[in-house]
Amino acid sequence: MLLTQVKMLLLAFISIGFFLLSLTAYAKKDTYVIGVEQLDYYPEYTYLKGEYGGYSRAVFDRFSLYSGLQFIFEPRPVARLHEEFLTGRFLDFKYPSNPLWNIKGKTDVMLSYSDAIVRARDGVMVLPQRKGLGLDQLKRIGAVRSFTLPQYQQRINEGKLTILSSNDFVSLLDMVLHGRVQGAYTNIRVARYQLEYVLKRPGDLVFDPSLPFMEVDYSLATIHHPKLIKQFNQFLHDERETLRELRESFGLKN
């Protein structure tokens, strides 16, 4: 009987030990997963040949040095990334994110957003001869699949505007160049870069400021790690001059 009781006590102590070790390991977690868009959106960000790159990667690498934390980047198509992030099971963070994007489903979770990692201008790229024709002449525009177009949503709902979706950026711009749509809703800096360096057609599409556009913040978002968002915001503040120089090196002058 005594021997049995001793064994039970030993097992209990061992179980408690494993439990405490697991708590310690959890408390000291220093590797986090950031879900990113599986999209060539350079110079903002890109995922090509299994490697995440662009300005945002440089920022996260810098934050890793600042904080001692490590980050793994998991690429997903835009819609799948949003869905998986909201489940809160596989991804610690999502980038890019913004409170105005993909509002559906967000009401069921408490999200924390960082300060802006970069501020971009999202608008419509058109053929030069269509610039300035106005909103009433715009009937079909292209956008990357699952991208949100807040300032056009009412016209879409009213049936005044049709959206054609593309899975990648080059195909999106090609739709405008070949007349399938009258414009492409996109990040203007990214469009100019892709036109010049990828398609080798600089100036063949231009930004039309007469059409609705918006200045939008690209932020880091999380469900489970709001304290790390605060640490990241402090990093953005402490390293603001270094990050400004880094933005300029990527051609991202705000």
Side-chain angles (χ1 to χ4, degrees), residues 34-124:
I34 302 178
V36 297
E37 293 177 348
Q38 192 172 333
L39 189 66
D40 182 10
Y41 218 61
Y42 196 88
E44 305 281 5
Y45 54 88
T46 185
Y47 197 90
L48 290 173
K49 298 180 180 179
E51 185 71 21
Y52 184 59
Y55 172 68
S56 57
R57 172 62 187 267
V59 172
F60 294 134
D61 285 349
R62 188 83 187 180
F63 180 56
S64 183
L65 292 173
Y66 175 93
S67 64
L69 304 174
Q70 301 298 317
F71 298 98
I72 297 170
F73 303 98
E74 284 290 336
R76 300 285 188 277
V78 177
R80 183 179 161 195
L81 172 61
H82 178 66
E83 292 168 1
E84 286 194 16
F85 173 65
L86 290 182
T87 67
R89 289 178 292 176
F90 307 114
L91 305 174
D92 295 302
F93 297 93
K94 175 183 179 290
Y95 182 82
S97 197
N98 185 287
L100 296 177
W101 298 344
N102 297 306
I103 295 174
K104 184 179 179 181
K106 289 183 177 180
T107 55
D108 299 327
V109 295
M110 182 67 71
L111 289 171
S112 297
Y113 294 91
S114 75
D115 296 337
I117 293 176
V118 70
R119 173 162 287 187
R121 174 174 290 179
D122 288 354
V124 178

Side-chain angles (χ1 to χ4, degrees), residues 1-248:
M1 178 69 72
L2 181 60
L3 184 59
T4 301
Q5 291 176 336
V6 170
K7 287 182 178 179
M8 290 178 65
L9 283 171
L10 284 173
L11 287 172
F13 280 125
I14 290 170
S15 298
I16 292 170
F18 278 124
F19 176 70
L20 292 175
L21 283 172
S22 66
L23 286 180
T24 302
Y26 179 80
K28 292 182 178 179
K29 177 179 178 180
D30 59 4
T31 300
Y32 297 87
V33 179
I34 302 178
V36 297
E37 293 177 348
Q38 192 172 333
L39 189 66
D40 182 10
Y41 218 61
Y42 196 88
E44 305 281 5
Y45 54 88
T46 185
Y47 197 90
L48 290 173
K49 298 180 180 179
E51 185 71 21
Y52 184 59
Y55 172 68
S56 57
R57 172 62 187 267
V59 172
F60 294 134
D61 285 349
R62 188 83 187 180
F63 180 56
S64 183
L65 292 173
Y66 175 93
S67 64
L69 304 174
Q70 301 298 317
F71 298 98
I72 297 170
F73 303 98
E74 284 290 336
R76 300 285 188 277
V78 177
R80 183 179 161 195
L81 172 61
H82 178 66
E83 292 168 1
E84 286 194 16
F85 173 65
L86 290 182
T87 67
R89 289 178 292 176
F90 307 114
L91 305 174
D92 295 302
F93 297 93
K94 175 183 179 290
Y95 182 82
S97 197
N98 185 287
L100 296 177
W101 298 344
N102 297 306
I103 295 174
K104 184 179 179 181
K106 289 183 177 180
T107 55
D108 299 327
V109 295
M110 182 67 71
L111 289 171
S112 297
Y113 294 91
S114 75
D115 296 337
I117 293 176
V118 70
R119 173 162 287 187
R121 174 174 290 179
D122 288 354
V124 178
M125 299 290 289
V126 299
L127 294 168
Q129 61 268 30
R130 291 198 58 85
K131 183 178 179 180
L133 293 182
L135 186 57
D136 289 338
Q137 301 299 315
L138 194 67
K139 304 300 181 183
R140 298 187 317 279
I141 61 175
V144 172
R145 191 174 306 280
S146 300
F147 269 30
T148 303
L149 289 68
Q151 64 272 55
Y152 289 92
Q153 195 58 53
Q154 183 175 345
R155 294 184 71 84
I156 295 170
N157 294 341
E158 293 172 352
K160 296 178 181 179
L161 185 64
T162 300
I163 305 298
L164 272 66
S165 296
S166 173
N167 289 322
D168 66 84
F169 206 81
V170 171
S171 297
L172 172 65
L173 297 178
D174 271 338
M175 286 198 295
V176 190
L177 291 168
H178 291 93
R180 291 185 57 205
V181 294
Q182 296 159 329
Y185 182 84
T186 180
N187 179 309
I188 304 306
R189 284 188 302 234
V190 174
R192 287 171 175 162
Y193 178 90
Q194 297 284 333
L195 283 164
E196 182 169 357
Y197 296 105
V198 179
L199 291 172
K200 310 298 183 183
R201 299 183 64 171
D204 281 12
L205 297 178
V206 296
F207 168 54
D208 189 345
S210 72
L211 299 172
F213 65 90
M214 67 186 299
E215 304 290 337
V216 58
D217 291 343
Y218 289 6
S219 298
L220 184 67
T222 188
I223 297 173
H224 299 301
H225 306 292
K227 289 184 179 179
L228 283 184
I229 290 293
K230 291 182 179 179
Q231 185 180 8
F232 185 70
N233 285 342
Q234 188 62 49
F235 155 76
L236 293 176
H237 178 269
D238 293 345
E239 299 286 318
R240 57 190 179 279
E241 280 304 311
T242 300
L243 296 179
R244 180 187 62 78
E245 294 173 1
L246 194 60
R247 281 196 301 276
E248 290 182 357

